[in-house]
Every structure is written in structure tokens, then in C-alpha cells.
Amino acid sequence: MDARQIINYVNFAALICYILGRVLNMGILSWIGLGIMTLSSIWTIIHWKENDKMSNYISVAFLVLVGLSLFGL
């Protein structure tokens, strides 16, 4: 399995954790999802040229989501 596919699956799993945490009002699950999103997005941005454009844009969107969640919006 290619590293790009793995990071896409990790992003998808993090998004599911975050959404389930918000819907079920479980703070720890939301924080786990945010942490995974942050780490995978930073990894994607570090390897910007190796990834396709869609993965790069998704990682930037996830970082925006993490920032908005940290500020409580």
C-alpha cells in the first residue's frame, strides 16, 4: 500500500472519530480525531510535492477545522 493511500485512510478515520465524538458528545473521541488530523495534515504539508493536489487541499482544510475547533467555533 502506498503512503499516499495510507494518509488518506488515516484522514478518513480521523474525520470519523471527530464526527462521532461531536455527535455522541464524547470529548476524548473528538480530541483523538483532532490529534490524528493534525499529525496527518502536518505530515502531508511536509511532503507537499509528493502528494496529489486533492490530498494537500484536504490537509489544509483539516488544519482549518482543527483551528476552528480549538477556538470553539
Side-chain angles (χ1 to χ4, degrees):
M1 188 177 274
D2 191 18
R4 291 175 296 199
Q5 289 178 337
I6 293 172
I7 202 68
N8 288 336
Y9 290 130
V10 168
N11 281 335
F12 186 65
L15 185 63
I16 288 173
C17 285
Y18 176 73
I19 291 172
L20 282 176
R22 295 290 283 191
V23 168
L24 298 175
N25 201 16
M26 296 177 65
I28 189 72
L29 196 58
S30 294
W31 283 106
I32 289 171
L34 286 175
I36 294 171
M37 274 190 233
T38 304
L39 293 176
S40 66
S41 296
I42 289 172
W43 185 88
T44 303
I45 289 174
I46 289 172
H47 301 285
W48 185 269
K49 297 210 183 256
E50 299 169 12
N51 299 323
D52 56 339
K53 287 183 180 180
M54 188 56 104
S55 293
N56 293 336
Y57 295 147
I58 289 171
S59 68
V60 170
F62 278 168
L63 283 178
V64 169
L65 177 69
V66 168
L68 290 174
S69 295
L70 290 177
F71 289 120
L73 298 175

Coordinates of all heavy atoms in Angstrom, one line a residue:
M1 N 0.9 -1.2 0.0 CA 0.0 0.0 0.0 C 0.9 1.2 0.0 O 1.9 1.3 0.7 CB -0.9 0.0 1.2 CG -2.0 1.0 1.2 SD -3.1 1.0 2.6 CE -4.3 -0.2 2.0
D2 N 0.5 2.2 -0.8 CA 1.3 3.4 -1.0 C 1.1 4.3 0.2 O 0.0 4.3 0.9 CB 0.8 4.1 -2.3 CG 1.7 5.2 -2.7 OD1 2.9 5.3 -2.2 OD2 1.3 6.0 -3.5
A3 N 2.1 5.1 0.6 CA 2.0 6.1 1.7 C 0.8 7.1 1.5 O 0.2 7.5 2.4 CB 3.3 6.8 1.9
R4 N 0.6 7.4 0.2 CA -0.5 8.4 0.0 C -1.9 7.8 0.3 O -2.7 8.5 0.8 CB -0.4 8.9 -1.5 CG 0.8 9.7 -1.8 CD 0.8 10.1 -3.2 NE 1.0 8.8 -3.9 CZ 1.5 8.7 -5.2 NH1 1.8 9.8 -5.8 NH2 1.6 7.5 -5.7
Q5 N -2.0 6.5 0.0 CA -3.3 5.9 0.3 C -3.5 5.7 1.8 O -4.6 5.9 2.3 CB -3.4 4.5 -0.3 CG -3.5 4.5 -1.8 CD -3.6 3.2 -2.4 OE1 -3.0 2.2 -1.9 NE2 -4.2 3.0 -3.6
I6 N -2.4 5.4 2.5 CA -2.4 5.3 3.9 C -2.9 6.6 4.6 O -3.7 6.6 5.5 CB -1.1 4.8 4.5 CG1 -0.8 3.4 4.0 CG2 -1.1 4.9 6.0 CD1 0.6 2.9 4.4
I7 N -2.3 7.7 4.1 CA -2.6 9.0 4.7 C -4.1 9.4 4.5 O -4.7 10.0 5.3 CB -1.6 10.1 4.3 CG1 -1.6 11.3 5.3 CG2 -1.9 10.6 2.9 CD1 -1.0 10.9 6.6
N8 N -4.6 9.0 3.3 CA -6.0 9.2 3.0 C -6.9 8.5 3.9 O -7.9 9.0 4.4 CB -6.3 8.9 1.6 CG -5.7 9.9 0.6 OD1 -5.5 11.0 0.9 ND2 -5.5 9.5 -0.6
Y9 N -6.5 7.2 4.2 CA -7.3 6.4 5.2 C -7.2 6.9 6.6 O -8.2 6.9 7.3 CB -6.9 4.9 5.1 CG -7.3 4.2 3.8 CD1 -6.4 3.5 3.1 CD2 -8.6 4.3 3.4 CE1 -6.7 2.8 1.9 CE2 -9.0 3.6 2.2 CZ -8.0 2.9 1.5 OH -8.4 2.3 0.3
V10 N -6.1 7.4 6.9 CA -5.9 8.0 8.3 C -6.7 9.3 8.4 O -7.4 9.5 9.4 CB -4.4 8.3 8.5 CG1 -4.2 9.1 9.8 CG2 -3.6 7.0 8.7
N11 N -6.7 10.1 7.4 CA -7.6 11.3 7.4 C -9.0 10.9 7.5 O -9.8 11.6 8.3 CB -7.4 12.1 6.1 CG -6.1 12.9 6.2 OD1 -5.6 13.3 7.2 ND2 -5.6 13.2 5.0
F12 N -9.5 9.9 6.8 CA -10.9 9.5 6.8 C -11.2 8.9 8.2 O -12.3 9.3 8.8 CB -11.1 8.4 5.8 CG -12.5 8.0 5.6 CD1 -13.5 8.9 5.2 CD2 -12.9 6.7 5.9 CE1 -14.8 8.5 5.1 CE2 -14.2 6.3 5.8 CZ -15.2 7.2 5.4
A13 N -10.3 8.1 8.8 CA -10.6 7.6 10.2 C -10.6 8.7 11.2 O -11.4 8.7 12.1 CB -9.5 6.6 10.5
A14 N -9.7 9.7 11.1 CA -9.7 10.9 12.0 C -11.0 11.7 11.9 O -11.6 12.1 12.9 CB -8.5 11.8 11.7
L15 N -11.5 11.8 10.7 CA -12.7 12.6 10.5 C -13.9 11.8 11.1 O -14.8 12.4 11.7 CB -13.0 12.8 9.0 CG -14.2 13.7 8.6 CD1 -14.0 15.1 9.2 CD2 -14.4 13.7 7.1
I16 N -13.9 10.5 11.0 CA -15.0 9.7 11.6 C -14.9 9.8 13.1 O -16.0 10.0 13.8 CB -14.9 8.2 11.1 CG1 -15.4 8.1 9.6 CG2 -15.8 7.3 12.0 CD1 -15.1 6.8 9.0
C17 N -13.7 9.7 13.7 CA -13.6 9.9 15.1 C -14.1 11.2 15.6 O -14.8 11.3 16.6 CB -12.1 9.7 15.5 SG -11.6 8.0 15.5
Y18 N -13.7 12.3 14.8 CA -14.1 13.6 15.2 C -15.6 13.8 15.2 O -16.2 14.3 16.1 CB -13.4 14.6 14.3 CG -13.9 16.0 14.6 CD1 -13.4 16.7 15.8 CD2 -14.7 16.7 13.8 CE1 -13.8 18.0 16.0 CE2 -15.1 18.0 14.0 CZ -14.7 18.6 15.2 OH -15.1 19.9 15.4
I19 N -16.2 13.3 14.1 CA -17.7 13.5 13.9 C -18.4 12.7 15.0 O -19.4 13.1 15.6 CB -18.1 13.1 12.5 CG1 -17.6 14.1 11.5 CG2 -19.6 12.9 12.4 CD1 -17.8 13.7 10.1
L20 N -18.0 11.4 15.2 CA -18.6 10.6 16.3 C -18.5 11.2 17.6 O -19.4 11.2 18.5 CB -18.1 9.2 16.3 CG -18.6 8.3 15.2 CD1 -17.8 6.9 15.2 CD2 -20.1 8.1 15.3
G21 N -17.3 11.8 17.9 CA -17.1 12.5 19.2 C -18.0 13.7 19.4 O -18.5 13.9 20.5
R22 N -18.2 14.4 18.3 CA -19.1 15.6 18.4 C -20.6 15.2 18.5 O -21.3 15.8 19.3 CB -18.9 16.5 17.2 CG -17.6 17.1 17.0 CD -17.3 18.1 18.1 NE -18.0 19.3 17.7 CZ -17.8 20.5 18.3 NH1 -16.9 20.6 19.3 NH2 -18.5 21.6 17.9
V23 N -21.0 14.2 17.8 CA -22.4 13.7 17.8 C -22.7 13.1 19.1 O -23.8 13.3 19.7 CB -22.7 12.8 16.6 CG1 -24.0 12.1 16.7 CG2 -22.6 13.6 15.3
L24 N -21.8 12.2 19.6 CA -22.1 11.5 20.8 C -21.7 12.2 22.1 O -21.8 11.7 23.2 CB -21.4 10.1 20.8 CG -21.8 9.2 19.7 CD1 -20.9 7.9 19.7 CD2 -23.3 8.8 19.8
N25 N -21.2 13.5 21.9 CA -20.7 14.3 23.0 C -19.7 13.6 23.8 O -19.7 13.7 25.0 CB -21.9 14.8 23.8 CG -21.6 16.0 24.6 OD1 -20.7 16.7 24.3 ND2 -22.5 16.3 25.6
M26 N -18.7 13.0 23.2 CA -17.6 12.4 23.8 C -16.3 13.2 23.5 O -15.8 13.1 22.4 CB -17.4 10.9 23.3 CG -18.6 10.0 23.7 SD -18.4 8.4 23.1 CE -17.0 7.8 23.9
G27 N -15.9 14.0 24.4 CA -14.8 14.9 24.2 C -13.5 14.2 23.9 O -12.7 14.6 23.0
I28 N -13.2 13.0 24.5 CA -12.0 12.3 24.3 C -11.9 11.8 22.8 O -10.8 11.9 22.2 CB -11.8 11.2 25.3 CG1 -10.4 10.6 25.2 CG2 -12.8 10.1 25.1 CD1 -9.3 11.5 25.7
L29 N -13.0 11.4 22.3 CA -13.0 10.9 20.9 C -12.8 12.1 19.9 O -12.1 11.9 18.9 CB -14.3 10.2 20.6 CG -14.4 9.3 19.4 CD1 -13.3 8.2 19.4 CD2 -15.8 8.6 19.3
S30 N -13.4 13.2 20.2 CA -13.2 14.4 19.4 C -11.7 14.8 19.4 O -11.1 15.2 18.4 CB -14.0 15.5 19.9 OG -15.4 15.3 19.7
W31 N -11.1 14.8 20.6 CA -9.7 15.2 20.7 C -8.8 14.2 20.0 O -7.8 14.6 19.4 CB -9.3 15.3 22.2 CG -9.8 16.6 22.8 CD1 -10.9 16.7 23.6 CD2 -9.4 17.9 22.5 NE1 -11.1 18.1 23.9 CE2 -10.1 18.8 23.3 CE3 -8.3 18.4 21.7 CZ2 -9.9 20.2 23.2 CZ3 -8.1 19.8 21.7 CH2 -8.9 20.7 22.4
I32 N -9.1 12.9 20.1 CA -8.3 11.9 19.4 C -8.4 12.2 17.9 O -7.4 12.2 17.2 CB -8.8 10.5 19.7 CG1 -8.4 10.2 21.2 CG2 -8.2 9.5 18.8 CD1 -9.0 8.9 21.7
G33 N -9.6 12.5 17.4 CA -9.8 12.8 16.0 C -9.0 14.0 15.6 O -8.4 14.1 14.5
L34 N -9.0 15.1 16.4 CA -8.3 16.3 16.1 C -6.8 16.1 16.1 O -6.1 16.6 15.3 CB -8.7 17.4 17.1 CG -10.1 18.0 17.0 CD1 -10.3 19.0 18.1 CD2 -10.2 18.7 15.6
G35 N -6.3 15.2 17.1 CA -4.9 14.9 17.1 C -4.4 14.2 15.9 O -3.4 14.5 15.3
I36 N -5.2 13.2 15.5 CA -4.8 12.4 14.3 C -4.9 13.3 13.0 O -4.0 13.3 12.2 CB -5.7 11.2 14.1 CG1 -5.5 10.2 15.3 CG2 -5.5 10.5 12.8 CD1 -6.5 9.1 15.3
M37 N -5.9 14.2 13.0 CA -6.0 15.1 11.8 C -4.8 16.1 11.8 O -4.2 16.3 10.7 CB -7.2 16.0 11.9 CG -8.5 15.4 11.4 SD -9.7 16.6 11.4 CE -11.0 15.8 12.2
T38 N -4.4 16.6 12.9 CA -3.3 17.5 13.0 C -2.0 16.8 12.5 O -1.3 17.3 11.7 CB -3.1 18.0 14.4 OG1 -4.3 18.6 14.8 CG2 -2.0 19.0 14.5
L39 N -1.7 15.6 13.1 CA -0.5 14.9 12.7 C -0.4 14.5 11.2 O 0.6 14.7 10.6 CB -0.3 13.7 13.6 CG -0.1 14.0 15.1 CD1 0.0 12.7 15.9 CD2 1.2 14.7 15.3
S40 N -1.6 14.0 10.7 CA -1.6 13.6 9.3 C -1.5 14.8 8.4 O -0.9 14.8 7.3 CB -2.8 12.8 9.0 OG -4.0 13.5 9.2
S41 N -2.1 15.9 8.8 CA -2.1 17.1 8.0 C -0.7 17.7 8.0 O -0.2 18.2 6.9 CB -3.1 18.2 8.5 OG -4.4 17.7 8.4
I42 N 0.0 17.7 9.1 CA 1.4 18.2 9.1 C 2.3 17.3 8.3 O 3.1 17.9 7.5 CB 1.9 18.3 10.6 CG1 1.1 19.5 11.3 CG2 3.4 18.5 10.6 CD1 1.4 19.6 12.8
W43 N 2.1 16.0 8.4 CA 2.9 15.1 7.5 C 2.6 15.4 6.1 O 3.6 15.4 5.3 CB 2.6 13.7 7.9 CG 3.4 12.7 7.1 CD1 4.7 12.2 7.5 CD2 3.2 12.1 5.9 NE1 5.1 11.4 6.6 CE2 4.3 11.3 5.5 CE3 2.1 12.2 5.0 CZ2 4.3 10.6 4.4 CZ3 2.2 11.5 3.8 CH2 3.3 10.7 3.5
T44 N 1.4 15.6 5.7 CA 1.1 15.9 4.3 C 1.7 17.2 3.8 O 2.2 17.3 2.7 CB -0.5 15.9 4.1 OG1 -1.0 14.7 4.6 CG2 -0.8 16.1 2.7
I45 N 1.6 18.2 4.7 CA 2.2 19.5 4.3 C 3.7 19.4 4.2 O 4.3 20.1 3.3 CB 1.7 20.6 5.3 CG1 0.2 20.8 5.0 CG2 2.5 21.9 5.1 CD1 -0.4 21.8 6.0
I46 N 4.4 18.7 5.0 CA 5.8 18.5 4.9 C 6.2 17.8 3.6 O 7.2 18.2 3.0 CB 6.3 17.7 6.1 CG1 6.3 18.5 7.4 CG2 7.8 17.2 5.9 CD1 6.6 17.7 8.7
H47 N 5.4 16.9 3.2 CA 5.6 16.2 1.9 C 4.7 16.7 0.8 O 4.1 15.9 0.1 CB 5.4 14.7 2.1 CG 6.3 14.1 3.1 ND1 7.6 13.8 2.9 CD2 6.1 13.7 4.4 CE1 8.2 13.3 4.0 NE2 7.2 13.3 4.9
W48 N 4.6 18.0 0.7 CA 3.6 18.6 -0.2 C 3.8 18.2 -1.7 O 2.8 17.9 -2.4 CB 3.8 20.2 -0.1 CG 2.8 20.9 -0.8 CD1 2.9 21.4 -2.1 CD2 1.5 21.4 -0.4 NE1 1.8 22.1 -2.5 CE2 0.9 22.1 -1.4 CE3 0.8 21.3 0.8 CZ2 -0.3 22.7 -1.3 CZ3 -0.4 21.8 0.9 CH2 -1.0 22.6 -0.1
K49 N 5.0 18.2 -2.2 CA 5.3 17.9 -3.6 C 5.0 16.5 -4.0 O 4.8 16.2 -5.1 CB 6.7 18.4 -4.0 CG 6.9 19.9 -3.8 CD 7.9 20.4 -4.8 CE 8.1 21.8 -4.5 NZ 7.5 22.7 -5.5
E50 N 5.1 15.6 -3.0 CA 5.0 14.2 -3.3 C 3.5 13.8 -3.4 O 3.2 12.7 -3.9 CB 5.6 13.3 -2.2 CG 7.1 13.6 -2.1 CD 7.7 13.0 -0.8 OE1 7.0 12.1 -0.2 OE2 8.9 13.3 -0.5
N51 N 2.6 14.6 -2.8 CA 1.2 14.2 -2.8 C 0.4 14.8 -3.9 O 0.9 15.8 -4.6 CB 0.6 14.7 -1.5 CG 1.3 14.0 -0.3 OD1 1.6 12.9 -0.3 ND2 1.4 14.8 0.8
D52 N -0.8 14.3 -4.2 CA -1.6 14.9 -5.2 C -2.3 16.2 -4.6 O -2.3 16.4 -3.4 CB -2.6 14.0 -5.8 CG -3.5 13.3 -4.7 OD1 -3.1 13.3 -3.6 OD2 -4.6 12.8 -5.1
K53 N -2.8 17.0 -5.5 CA -3.4 18.3 -5.1 C -4.6 18.1 -4.1 O -4.7 18.8 -3.2 CB -3.9 19.1 -6.3 CG -2.7 19.7 -7.1 CD -3.3 20.5 -8.2 CE -2.2 21.1 -9.0 NZ -2.7 21.9 -10.1
M54 N -5.4 17.1 -4.4 CA -6.6 16.9 -3.5 C -6.2 16.6 -2.1 O -6.8 17.1 -1.1 CB -7.5 15.8 -4.1 CG -8.8 15.7 -3.4 SD -9.6 17.3 -3.4 CE -10.8 17.0 -4.6
S55 N -5.2 15.7 -1.9 CA -4.7 15.4 -0.5 C -4.2 16.6 0.2 O -4.4 16.8 1.4 CB -3.7 14.3 -0.6 OG -4.2 13.1 -1.0
N56 N -3.5 17.5 -0.6 CA -2.9 18.7 0.0 C -4.0 19.6 0.4 O -4.0 20.2 1.5 CB -2.0 19.4 -1.0 CG -0.7 18.6 -1.3 OD1 -0.3 17.8 -0.5 ND2 -0.1 18.8 -2.4
Y57 N -5.0 19.8 -0.4 CA -6.1 20.7 -0.1 C -7.0 20.1 1.1 O -7.4 20.9 2.0 CB -7.0 20.9 -1.3 CG -6.4 21.6 -2.4 CD1 -6.7 21.4 -3.7 CD2 -5.4 22.6 -2.2 CE1 -6.1 22.0 -4.8 CE2 -4.8 23.3 -3.2 CZ -5.1 23.0 -4.5 OH -4.5 23.6 -5.5
I58 N -7.1 18.8 1.2 CA -7.9 18.2 2.3 C -7.1 18.4 3.6 O -7.7 18.7 4.6 CB -8.1 16.7 2.0 CG1 -9.2 16.6 0.9 CG2 -8.5 16.0 3.3 CD1 -9.3 15.2 0.4
S59 N -5.8 18.3 3.5 CA -5.0 18.5 4.8 C -5.1 20.0 5.2 O -5.1 20.2 6.4 CB -3.5 18.1 4.5 OG -2.9 19.0 3.7
V60 N -5.1 20.9 4.3 CA -5.2 22.3 4.7 C -6.6 22.5 5.3 O -6.8 23.2 6.3 CB -5.0 23.2 3.5 CG1 -5.3 24.7 3.8 CG2 -3.5 23.2 3.1
A61 N -7.6 21.9 4.7 CA -9.0 22.1 5.2 C -9.1 21.5 6.6 O -9.7 22.0 7.5 CB -10.0 21.4 4.3
F62 N -8.4 20.3 6.9 CA -8.4 19.7 8.2 C -7.7 20.6 9.2 O -8.1 20.7 10.4 CB -7.8 18.3 8.1 CG -8.7 17.2 7.7 CD1 -8.2 16.0 7.4 CD2 -10.0 17.4 7.6 CE1 -9.0 15.0 6.9 CE2 -10.9 16.4 7.1 CZ -10.4 15.2 6.8
L63 N -6.6 21.2 8.8 CA -6.0 22.2 9.7 C -6.9 23.3 10.1 O -6.8 23.8 11.2 CB -4.6 22.6 9.2 CG -3.5 21.6 9.3 CD1 -2.2 22.2 8.6 CD2 -3.2 21.2 10.7
V64 N -7.6 23.8 9.1 CA -8.6 24.9 9.4 C -9.6 24.4 10.3 O -10.0 25.1 11.3 CB -9.2 25.4 8.1 CG1 -10.4 26.3 8.3 CG2 -8.2 26.1 7.2
L65 N -10.1 23.2 10.1 CA -11.1 22.6 11.0 C -10.6 22.4 12.5 O -11.3 22.7 13.4 CB -11.6 21.2 10.5 CG -12.6 20.4 11.4 CD1 -13.9 21.2 11.4 CD2 -12.7 19.0 10.9
V66 N -9.3 22.0 12.6 CA -8.7 21.9 13.9 C -8.6 23.2 14.5 O -8.9 23.4 15.7 CB -7.3 21.2 13.8 CG1 -6.5 21.3 15.0 CG2 -7.4 19.8 13.3
G67 N -8.2 24.3 13.8 CA -8.1 25.6 14.3 C -9.4 26.1 14.8 O -9.5 26.7 15.9
L68 N -10.5 25.9 14.0 CA -11.8 26.4 14.4 C -12.3 25.6 15.6 O -12.9 26.2 16.5 CB -12.8 26.2 13.2 CG -12.6 27.1 12.1 CD1 -13.5 26.8 10.9 CD2 -12.8 28.6 12.5
S69 N -12.0 24.4 15.7 CA -12.4 23.6 16.9 C -11.7 24.0 18.1 O -12.3 24.0 19.2 CB -12.2 22.1 16.6 OG -13.0 21.6 15.6
L70 N -10.4 24.4 18.0 CA -9.7 24.8 19.2 C -10.2 26.1 19.7 O -10.2 26.4 20.9 CB -8.2 24.9 18.9 CG -7.5 23.5 18.7 CD1 -6.0 23.8 18.3 CD2 -7.6 22.7 19.9
F71 N -10.7 27.0 18.8 CA -11.2 28.3 19.2 C -12.7 28.2 19.6 O -13.3 29.2 19.9 CB -11.0 29.3 18.2 CG -9.6 29.7 18.0 CD1 -8.9 29.6 16.8 CD2 -8.9 30.3 19.1 CE1 -7.6 29.9 16.7 CE2 -7.6 30.7 18.9 CZ -6.9 30.5 17.7
G72 N -13.3 27.0 19.5 CA -14.7 26.8 19.9 C -15.7 27.2 18.9 O -16.9 27.5 19.3
L73 N -15.4 27.4 17.7 CA -16.3 27.8 16.7 C -17.0 26.6 16.0 O -16.6 25.6 15.9 CB -15.7 28.7 15.6 CG -15.1 30.0 16.2 CD1 -14.3 30.7 15.1 CD2 -16.1 30.9 16.7

